[in-house]
Amino acid sequence: SIVIIGGGLVGAVLAVTLQQQGYKVTVYERWADPRKASVGGAKSINLSLTARGLRAVPEGIKGDVKSLGTKVTGRIIHQRDGAVQFQRYGADDSEFNLSVSRRALNQLLLARAEEAGVVVHFEYELVEMQVEE
């Protein structure tokens, strides 16, 4: 039995991964369920998910995560002299990052965690912890 403190992106991914490996997982999250309410403490609107980040997403969820995103193949660099330069993220258009709504991604991961059997408790804050030696 494993308890995870925090149901954000990392906590939700970890919960699904551990549950798929046969552990009984419970998550405690400080904020309200982002699928049901407007949530305070939200971070940036979008995030850039790289190939490395996508490898952390458990199998069976990757397709859903990819469907949330928009492919971004590079970035524009604006020079001080006014010149503009395109800088690729990979060798060609087959290598890209995904621009994903942080909130939509978290909602998806929490839903998949619960579907996998993870128990998630919202509006619980860790205020003290005793560690046994």
Side-chain angles (χ1 to χ4, degrees):
S1 181
I2 295 176
V3 173
I4 297 173
I5 306 301
L9 299 175
V10 174
V13 165
L14 180 60
V16 173
T17 301
L18 292 171
Q19 189 78 21
Q20 288 178 345
Q21 292 177 3
Y23 294 95
K24 181 182 175 203
V25 180
T26 303
V27 174
Y28 289 91
E29 169 56 43
R30 174 175 36 170
W31 303 107
D33 187 337
R35 298 166 295 176
K36 298 178 182 173
S38 177
V39 178
K43 299 206 170 52
S44 65
I45 297 169
N46 278 22
L47 58 86
S48 184
L49 187 60
T50 65
R52 182 177 177 186
L54 196 55
R55 282 195 301 270
V57 176
E59 291 302 324
I61 299 177
K62 286 184 186 186
D64 293 333
V65 170
K66 287 180 179 178
S67 72
L68 290 177
T70 300
K71 291 180 182 180
V72 182
T73 58
R75 60 183 167 202
I76 302 291
I77 307 295
H78 298 270
Q79 305 293 337
R80 288 185 178 160
D81 64 4
V84 177
Q85 175 188 7
F86 177 71
Q87 189 176 65
R88 267 189 198 288
Y89 289 133
D92 56 39
D93 285 352
S94 69
E95 297 178 349
F96 53 85
N97 292 341
L98 288 174
S99 177
V100 181
S101 161
R102 180 184 295 270
R103 182 178 170 119
L105 180 57
N106 196 211
Q107 290 170 335
L108 172 71
L109 293 172
L110 287 168
R112 295 301 179 267
E114 288 181 329
E115 289 168 10
V118 173
V119 176
V120 183
H121 299 283
F122 294 97
E123 300 183 66
Y124 280 80
E125 183 176 1
L126 177 65
V127 291
E128 185 177 331
M129 183 173 83
Q130 294 179 342
V131 180
E132 294 179 11
E133 293 184 28

